[in-house]
mmCIF file with all atom_site columns, all heavy atoms in Angstrom:
data_model
loop_
_atom_site.group_PDB
_atom_site.id
_atom_site.type_symbol
_atom_site.label_atom_id
_atom_site.label_alt_id
_atom_site.label_comp_id
_atom_site.label_asym_id
_atom_site.label_entity_id
_atom_site.label_seq_id
_atom_site.pdbx_PDB_ins_code
_atom_site.Cartn_x
_atom_site.Cartn_y
_atom_site.Cartn_z
_atom_site.occupancy
_atom_site.B_iso_or_equiv
_atom_site.pdbx_formal_charge
_atom_site.auth_seq_id
_atom_site.auth_comp_id
_atom_site.auth_asym_id
_atom_site.auth_atom_id
_atom_site.pdbx_PDB_model_num
ATOM 1   N N   . ASP P 1 272 ? -27.454 -13.818 -3.048 1.00 0.00 ? 554 ASP P N   1
ATOM 2   C CA  . ASP P 1 272 ? -28.672 -13.019 -2.938 1.00 0.00 ? 554 ASP P CA  1
ATOM 3   C C   . ASP P 1 272 ? -28.398 -11.549 -3.279 1.00 0.00 ? 554 ASP P C   1
ATOM 4   O O   . ASP P 1 272 ? -27.607 -10.885 -2.607 1.00 0.00 ? 554 ASP P O   1
ATOM 5   C CB  . ASP P 1 272 ? -29.189 -13.135 -1.495 1.00 0.00 ? 554 ASP P CB  1
ATOM 6   C CG  . ASP P 1 272 ? -30.469 -12.346 -1.299 1.00 0.00 ? 554 ASP P CG  1
ATOM 7   O OD1 . ASP P 1 272 ? -30.939 -11.722 -2.269 1.00 0.00 ? 554 ASP P OD1 1
ATOM 8   O OD2 . ASP P 1 272 ? -30.994 -12.370 -0.170 1.00 0.00 ? 554 ASP P OD2 1
ATOM 9   N N   . PRO P 1 273 ? -29.046 -11.020 -4.348 1.00 0.00 ? 555 PRO P N   1
ATOM 10  C CA  . PRO P 1 273 ? -28.750 -9.643  -4.758 1.00 0.00 ? 555 PRO P CA  1
ATOM 11  C C   . PRO P 1 273 ? -29.142 -8.594  -3.715 1.00 0.00 ? 555 PRO P C   1
ATOM 12  O O   . PRO P 1 273 ? -28.686 -7.457  -3.797 1.00 0.00 ? 555 PRO P O   1
ATOM 13  C CB  . PRO P 1 273 ? -29.549 -9.468  -6.054 1.00 0.00 ? 555 PRO P CB  1
ATOM 14  C CG  . PRO P 1 273 ? -30.485 -10.614 -6.126 1.00 0.00 ? 555 PRO P CG  1
ATOM 15  C CD  . PRO P 1 273 ? -29.999 -11.687 -5.238 1.00 0.00 ? 555 PRO P CD  1
ATOM 16  N N   . ALA P 1 274 ? -29.983 -8.975  -2.745 1.00 0.00 ? 556 ALA P N   1
ATOM 17  C CA  . ALA P 1 274 ? -30.348 -8.007  -1.717 1.00 0.00 ? 556 ALA P CA  1
ATOM 18  C C   . ALA P 1 274 ? -29.118 -7.540  -0.942 1.00 0.00 ? 556 ALA P C   1
ATOM 19  O O   . ALA P 1 274 ? -29.064 -6.407  -0.455 1.00 0.00 ? 556 ALA P O   1
ATOM 20  C CB  . ALA P 1 274 ? -31.364 -8.622  -0.764 1.00 0.00 ? 556 ALA P CB  1
ATOM 21  N N   . PHE P 1 275 ? -28.123 -8.419  -0.840 1.00 0.00 ? 557 PHE P N   1
ATOM 22  C CA  . PHE P 1 275 ? -26.919 -8.047  -0.100 1.00 0.00 ? 557 PHE P CA  1
ATOM 23  C C   . PHE P 1 275 ? -26.019 -7.107  -0.894 1.00 0.00 ? 557 PHE P C   1
ATOM 24  O O   . PHE P 1 275 ? -25.151 -6.456  -0.344 1.00 0.00 ? 557 PHE P O   1
ATOM 25  C CB  . PHE P 1 275 ? -26.145 -9.301  0.310  1.00 0.00 ? 557 PHE P CB  1
ATOM 26  C CG  . PHE P 1 275 ? -26.752 -10.006 1.474  1.00 0.00 ? 557 PHE P CG  1
ATOM 27  C CD1 . PHE P 1 275 ? -27.487 -11.156 1.312  1.00 0.00 ? 557 PHE P CD1 1
ATOM 28  C CD2 . PHE P 1 275 ? -26.625 -9.483  2.754  1.00 0.00 ? 557 PHE P CD2 1
ATOM 29  C CE1 . PHE P 1 275 ? -28.069 -11.795 2.383  1.00 0.00 ? 557 PHE P CE1 1
ATOM 30  C CE2 . PHE P 1 275 ? -27.194 -10.123 3.845  1.00 0.00 ? 557 PHE P CE2 1
ATOM 31  C CZ  . PHE P 1 275 ? -27.933 -11.277 3.656  1.00 0.00 ? 557 PHE P CZ  1
ATOM 32  N N   . GLU P 1 276 ? -26.254 -7.075  -2.219 1.00 0.00 ? 558 GLU P N   1
ATOM 33  C CA  . GLU P 1 276 ? -25.512 -6.127  -3.060 1.00 0.00 ? 558 GLU P CA  1
ATOM 34  C C   . GLU P 1 276 ? -25.709 -4.692  -2.580 1.00 0.00 ? 558 GLU P C   1
ATOM 35  O O   . GLU P 1 276 ? -24.786 -3.888  -2.572 1.00 0.00 ? 558 GLU P O   1
ATOM 36  C CB  . GLU P 1 276 ? -26.051 -6.217  -4.492 1.00 0.00 ? 558 GLU P CB  1
ATOM 37  C CG  . GLU P 1 276 ? -25.048 -6.687  -5.496 1.00 0.00 ? 558 GLU P CG  1
ATOM 38  C CD  . GLU P 1 276 ? -25.688 -6.747  -6.864 1.00 0.00 ? 558 GLU P CD  1
ATOM 39  O OE1 . GLU P 1 276 ? -26.052 -5.670  -7.379 1.00 0.00 ? 558 GLU P OE1 1
ATOM 40  O OE2 . GLU P 1 276 ? -25.828 -7.852  -7.414 1.00 0.00 ? 558 GLU P OE2 1
ATOM 41  N N   . VAL P 1 277 ? -26.954 -4.408  -2.194 1.00 0.00 ? 559 VAL P N   1
ATOM 42  C CA  . VAL P 1 277 ? -27.284 -3.070  -1.707 1.00 0.00 ? 559 VAL P CA  1
ATOM 43  C C   . VAL P 1 277 ? -26.479 -2.768  -0.456 1.00 0.00 ? 559 VAL P C   1
ATOM 44  O O   . VAL P 1 277 ? -25.900 -1.680  -0.309 1.00 0.00 ? 559 VAL P O   1
ATOM 45  C CB  . VAL P 1 277 ? -28.799 -2.975  -1.425 1.00 0.00 ? 559 VAL P CB  1
ATOM 46  C CG1 . VAL P 1 277 ? -29.156 -1.595  -0.914 1.00 0.00 ? 559 VAL P CG1 1
ATOM 47  C CG2 . VAL P 1 277 ? -29.582 -3.319  -2.665 1.00 0.00 ? 559 VAL P CG2 1
ATOM 48  N N   . ASN P 1 278 ? -26.414 -3.762  0.441  1.00 0.00 ? 560 ASN P N   1
ATOM 49  C CA  . ASN P 1 278 ? -25.629 -3.571  1.653  1.00 0.00 ? 560 ASN P CA  1
ATOM 50  C C   . ASN P 1 278 ? -24.161 -3.353  1.327  1.00 0.00 ? 560 ASN P C   1
ATOM 51  O O   . ASN P 1 278 ? -23.492 -2.512  1.929  1.00 0.00 ? 560 ASN P O   1
ATOM 52  C CB  . ASN P 1 278 ? -25.743 -4.803  2.550  1.00 0.00 ? 560 ASN P CB  1
ATOM 53  C CG  . ASN P 1 278 ? -27.106 -4.886  3.191  1.00 0.00 ? 560 ASN P CG  1
ATOM 54  O OD1 . ASN P 1 278 ? -27.957 -4.035  2.938  1.00 0.00 ? 560 ASN P OD1 1
ATOM 55  N ND2 . ASN P 1 278 ? -27.319 -5.882  4.009  1.00 0.00 ? 560 ASN P ND2 1
ATOM 56  N N   . ALA P 1 279 ? -23.660 -4.157  0.377  1.00 0.00 ? 561 ALA P N   1
ATOM 57  C CA  . ALA P 1 279 ? -22.256 -4.025  -0.010 1.00 0.00 ? 561 ALA P CA  1
ATOM 58  C C   . ALA P 1 279 ? -22.000 -2.624  -0.549 1.00 0.00 ? 561 ALA P C   1
ATOM 59  O O   . ALA P 1 279 ? -20.978 -1.991  -0.234 1.00 0.00 ? 561 ALA P O   1
ATOM 60  C CB  . ALA P 1 279 ? -21.890 -5.065  -1.060 1.00 0.00 ? 561 ALA P CB  1
ATOM 61  N N   . ALA P 1 280 ? -22.947 -2.125  -1.363 1.00 0.00 ? 562 ALA P N   1
ATOM 62  C CA  . ALA P 1 280 ? -22.787 -0.785  -1.917 1.00 0.00 ? 562 ALA P CA  1
ATOM 63  C C   . ALA P 1 280 ? -22.758 0.266   -0.809 1.00 0.00 ? 562 ALA P C   1
ATOM 64  O O   . ALA P 1 280 ? -21.891 1.149   -0.789 1.00 0.00 ? 562 ALA P O   1
ATOM 65  C CB  . ALA P 1 280 ? -23.918 -0.490  -2.896 1.00 0.00 ? 562 ALA P CB  1
ATOM 66  N N   . ALA P 1 281 ? -23.691 0.132   0.134  1.00 0.00 ? 563 ALA P N   1
ATOM 67  C CA  . ALA P 1 281 ? -23.756 1.117   1.214  1.00 0.00 ? 563 ALA P CA  1
ATOM 68  C C   . ALA P 1 281 ? -22.488 1.074   2.064  1.00 0.00 ? 563 ALA P C   1
ATOM 69  O O   . ALA P 1 281 ? -21.886 2.118   2.371  1.00 0.00 ? 563 ALA P O   1
ATOM 70  C CB  . ALA P 1 281 ? -24.984 0.857   2.074  1.00 0.00 ? 563 ALA P CB  1
ATOM 71  N N   . ALA P 1 282 ? -22.057 -0.140  2.428  1.00 0.00 ? 564 ALA P N   1
ATOM 72  C CA  . ALA P 1 282 ? -20.849 -0.266  3.243  1.00 0.00 ? 564 ALA P CA  1
ATOM 73  C C   . ALA P 1 282 ? -19.628 0.214   2.461  1.00 0.00 ? 564 ALA P C   1
ATOM 74  O O   . ALA P 1 282 ? -18.731 0.864   3.013  1.00 0.00 ? 564 ALA P O   1
ATOM 75  C CB  . ALA P 1 282 ? -20.661 -1.718  3.677  1.00 0.00 ? 564 ALA P CB  1
ATOM 76  N N   . GLY P 1 283 ? -19.602 -0.095  1.151  1.00 0.00 ? 565 GLY P N   1
ATOM 77  C CA  . GLY P 1 283 ? -18.503 0.363   0.309  1.00 0.00 ? 565 GLY P CA  1
ATOM 78  C C   . GLY P 1 283 ? -18.445 1.879   0.266  1.00 0.00 ? 565 GLY P C   1
ATOM 79  O O   . GLY P 1 283 ? -17.361 2.472   0.310  1.00 0.00 ? 565 GLY P O   1
ATOM 80  N N   . PHE P 1 284 ? -19.618 2.486   0.209  1.00 0.00 ? 566 PHE P N   1
ATOM 81  C CA  . PHE P 1 284 ? -19.659 3.951   0.198  1.00 0.00 ? 566 PHE P CA  1
ATOM 82  C C   . PHE P 1 284 ? -19.081 4.517   1.493  1.00 0.00 ? 566 PHE P C   1
ATOM 83  O O   . PHE P 1 284 ? -18.286 5.464   1.466  1.00 0.00 ? 566 PHE P O   1
ATOM 84  C CB  . PHE P 1 284 ? -21.106 4.420   0.004  1.00 0.00 ? 566 PHE P CB  1
ATOM 85  C CG  . PHE P 1 284 ? -21.230 5.904   -0.075 1.00 0.00 ? 566 PHE P CG  1
ATOM 86  C CD1 . PHE P 1 284 ? -20.869 6.587   -1.225 1.00 0.00 ? 566 PHE P CD1 1
ATOM 87  C CD2 . PHE P 1 284 ? -21.681 6.635   1.011  1.00 0.00 ? 566 PHE P CD2 1
ATOM 88  C CE1 . PHE P 1 284 ? -20.963 7.957   -1.299 1.00 0.00 ? 566 PHE P CE1 1
ATOM 89  C CE2 . PHE P 1 284 ? -21.770 8.007   0.945  1.00 0.00 ? 566 PHE P CE2 1
ATOM 90  C CZ  . PHE P 1 284 ? -21.418 8.678   -0.208 1.00 0.00 ? 566 PHE P CZ  1
ATOM 91  N N   . VAL P 1 285 ? -19.449 3.906   2.611  1.00 0.00 ? 567 VAL P N   1
ATOM 92  C CA  . VAL P 1 285 ? -18.930 4.379   3.907  1.00 0.00 ? 567 VAL P CA  1
ATOM 93  C C   . VAL P 1 285 ? -17.405 4.229   3.944  1.00 0.00 ? 567 VAL P C   1
ATOM 94  O O   . VAL P 1 285 ? -16.679 5.158   4.329  1.00 0.00 ? 567 VAL P O   1
ATOM 95  C CB  . VAL P 1 285 ? -19.583 3.599   5.074  1.00 0.00 ? 567 VAL P CB  1
ATOM 96  C CG1 . VAL P 1 285 ? -18.955 4.001   6.404  1.00 0.00 ? 567 VAL P CG1 1
ATOM 97  C CG2 . VAL P 1 285 ? -21.082 3.841   5.094  1.00 0.00 ? 567 VAL P CG2 1
ATOM 98  N N   . LEU P 1 286 ? -16.929 3.061   3.498  1.00 0.00 ? 568 LEU P N   1
ATOM 99  C CA  . LEU P 1 286 ? -15.476 2.825   3.507  1.00 0.00 ? 568 LEU P CA  1
ATOM 100 C C   . LEU P 1 286 ? -14.751 3.818   2.591  1.00 0.00 ? 568 LEU P C   1
ATOM 101 O O   . LEU P 1 286 ? -13.719 4.397   2.962  1.00 0.00 ? 568 LEU P O   1
ATOM 102 C CB  . LEU P 1 286 ? -15.186 1.390   3.074  1.00 0.00 ? 568 LEU P CB  1
ATOM 103 C CG  . LEU P 1 286 ? -13.708 0.984   3.056  1.00 0.00 ? 568 LEU P CG  1
ATOM 104 C CD1 . LEU P 1 286 ? -13.135 1.006   4.462  1.00 0.00 ? 568 LEU P CD1 1
ATOM 105 C CD2 . LEU P 1 286 ? -13.515 -0.401  2.460  1.00 0.00 ? 568 LEU P CD2 1
ATOM 106 N N   . MET P 1 287 ? -15.318 4.016   1.390  1.00 0.00 ? 569 MET P N   1
ATOM 107 C CA  . MET P 1 287 ? -14.718 4.977   0.452  1.00 0.00 ? 569 MET P CA  1
ATOM 108 C C   . MET P 1 287 ? -14.680 6.366   1.062  1.00 0.00 ? 569 MET P C   1
ATOM 109 O O   . MET P 1 287 ? -13.692 7.095   0.928  1.00 0.00 ? 569 MET P O   1
ATOM 110 C CB  . MET P 1 287 ? -15.550 5.044   -0.834 1.00 0.00 ? 569 MET P CB  1
ATOM 111 C CG  . MET P 1 287 ? -15.287 3.946   -1.807 1.00 0.00 ? 569 MET P CG  1
ATOM 112 S SD  . MET P 1 287 ? -13.787 4.210   -2.725 1.00 0.00 ? 569 MET P SD  1
ATOM 113 C CE  . MET P 1 287 ? -14.357 5.389   -3.927 1.00 0.00 ? 569 MET P CE  1
ATOM 114 N N   . ALA P 1 288 ? -15.765 6.733   1.715  1.00 0.00 ? 570 ALA P N   1
ATOM 115 C CA  . ALA P 1 288 ? -15.818 8.063   2.327  1.00 0.00 ? 570 ALA P CA  1
ATOM 116 C C   . ALA P 1 288 ? -14.707 8.196   3.362  1.00 0.00 ? 570 ALA P C   1
ATOM 117 O O   . ALA P 1 288 ? -14.007 9.217   3.409  1.00 0.00 ? 570 ALA P O   1
ATOM 118 C CB  . ALA P 1 288 ? -17.187 8.289   2.969  1.00 0.00 ? 570 ALA P CB  1
ATOM 119 N N   . MET P 1 289 ? -14.511 7.142   4.171  1.00 0.00 ? 571 MET P N   1
ATOM 120 C CA  . MET P 1 289 ? -13.455 7.192   5.186  1.00 0.00 ? 571 MET P CA  1
ATOM 121 C C   . MET P 1 289 ? -12.080 7.351   4.522  1.00 0.00 ? 571 MET P C   1
ATOM 122 O O   . MET P 1 289 ? -11.278 8.206   4.906  1.00 0.00 ? 571 MET P O   1
ATOM 123 C CB  . MET P 1 289 ? -13.465 5.898   6.020  1.00 0.00 ? 571 MET P CB  1
ATOM 124 C CG  . MET P 1 289 ? -14.587 5.791   7.032  1.00 0.00 ? 571 MET P CG  1
ATOM 125 S SD  . MET P 1 289 ? -14.919 4.045   7.339  1.00 0.00 ? 571 MET P SD  1
ATOM 126 C CE  . MET P 1 289 ? -14.436 3.821   8.966  1.00 0.00 ? 571 MET P CE  1
ATOM 127 N N   . VAL P 1 290 ? -11.824 6.486   3.532  1.00 0.00 ? 572 VAL P N   1
ATOM 128 C CA  . VAL P 1 290 ? -10.496 6.469   2.910  1.00 0.00 ? 572 VAL P CA  1
ATOM 129 C C   . VAL P 1 290 ? -10.225 7.770   2.157  1.00 0.00 ? 572 VAL P C   1
ATOM 130 O O   . VAL P 1 290 ? -9.152  8.373   2.278  1.00 0.00 ? 572 VAL P O   1
ATOM 131 C CB  . VAL P 1 290 ? -10.363 5.262   1.962  1.00 0.00 ? 572 VAL P CB  1
ATOM 132 C CG1 . VAL P 1 290 ? -9.095  5.349   1.162  1.00 0.00 ? 572 VAL P CG1 1
ATOM 133 C CG2 . VAL P 1 290 ? -10.398 3.982   2.755  1.00 0.00 ? 572 VAL P CG2 1
ATOM 134 N N   . LEU P 1 291 ? -11.222 8.228   1.379  1.00 0.00 ? 573 LEU P N   1
ATOM 135 C CA  . LEU P 1 291 ? -11.014 9.447   0.595  1.00 0.00 ? 573 LEU P CA  1
ATOM 136 C C   . LEU P 1 291 ? -10.827 10.648  1.518  1.00 0.00 ? 573 LEU P C   1
ATOM 137 O O   . LEU P 1 291 ? -9.992  11.520  1.240  1.00 0.00 ? 573 LEU P O   1
ATOM 138 C CB  . LEU P 1 291 ? -12.181 9.678   -0.368 1.00 0.00 ? 573 LEU P CB  1
ATOM 139 C CG  . LEU P 1 291 ? -12.284 8.675   -1.521 1.00 0.00 ? 573 LEU P CG  1
ATOM 140 C CD1 . LEU P 1 291 ? -13.408 9.053   -2.465 1.00 0.00 ? 573 LEU P CD1 1
ATOM 141 C CD2 . LEU P 1 291 ? -10.976 8.573   -2.298 1.00 0.00 ? 573 LEU P CD2 1
ATOM 142 N N   . THR P 1 292 ? -11.581 10.686  2.625  1.00 0.00 ? 574 THR P N   1
ATOM 143 C CA  . THR P 1 292 ? -11.398 11.795  3.565  1.00 0.00 ? 574 THR P CA  1
ATOM 144 C C   . THR P 1 292 ? -9.981  11.786  4.125  1.00 0.00 ? 574 THR P C   1
ATOM 145 O O   . THR P 1 292 ? -9.315  12.831  4.173  1.00 0.00 ? 574 THR P O   1
ATOM 146 C CB  . THR P 1 292 ? -12.402 11.676  4.728  1.00 0.00 ? 574 THR P CB  1
ATOM 147 O OG1 . THR P 1 292 ? -13.684 11.431  4.200  1.00 0.00 ? 574 THR P OG1 1
ATOM 148 C CG2 . THR P 1 292 ? -12.422 12.940  5.560  1.00 0.00 ? 574 THR P CG2 1
ATOM 149 N N   . MET P 1 293 ? -9.523  10.602  4.529  1.00 0.00 ? 575 MET P N   1
ATOM 150 C CA  . MET P 1 293 ? -8.172  10.531  5.095  1.00 0.00 ? 575 MET P CA  1
ATOM 151 C C   . MET P 1 293 ? -7.133  10.977  4.069  1.00 0.00 ? 575 MET P C   1
ATOM 152 O O   . MET P 1 293 ? -6.221  11.741  4.387  1.00 0.00 ? 575 MET P O   1
ATOM 153 C CB  . MET P 1 293 ? -7.874  9.111   5.571  1.00 0.00 ? 575 MET P CB  1
ATOM 154 C CG  . MET P 1 293 ? -8.628  8.761   6.838  1.00 0.00 ? 575 MET P CG  1
ATOM 155 S SD  . MET P 1 293 ? -8.575  7.006   7.181  1.00 0.00 ? 575 MET P SD  1
ATOM 156 C CE  . MET P 1 293 ? -7.088  6.891   8.141  1.00 0.00 ? 575 MET P CE  1
ATOM 157 N N   . ASN P 1 294 ? -7.293  10.469  2.816  1.00 0.00 ? 576 ASN P N   1
ATOM 158 C CA  . ASN P 1 294 ? -6.336  10.865  1.780  1.00 0.00 ? 576 ASN P CA  1
ATOM 159 C C   . ASN P 1 294 ? -6.379  12.352  1.513  1.00 0.00 ? 576 ASN P C   1
ATOM 160 O O   . ASN P 1 294 ? -5.344  13.005  1.331  1.00 0.00 ? 576 ASN P O   1
ATOM 161 C CB  . ASN P 1 294 ? -6.629  10.110  0.487  1.00 0.00 ? 576 ASN P CB  1
ATOM 162 C CG  . ASN P 1 294 ? -5.960  8.759   0.475  1.00 0.00 ? 576 ASN P CG  1
ATOM 163 O OD1 . ASN P 1 294 ? -4.778  8.660   0.773  1.00 0.00 ? 576 ASN P OD1 1
ATOM 164 N ND2 . ASN P 1 294 ? -6.704  7.738   0.170  1.00 0.00 ? 576 ASN P ND2 1
#
Side-chain angles (χ1 to χ4, degrees):
Chain P
D554 181 0
F557 283 103
E558 243 180 66
V559 180
N560 288 1
F566 182 76
V567 175
L568 181 65
M569 279 282 281
M571 285 154 113
V572 171
L573 291 184
T574 312
M575 287 167 89
N576 275 312

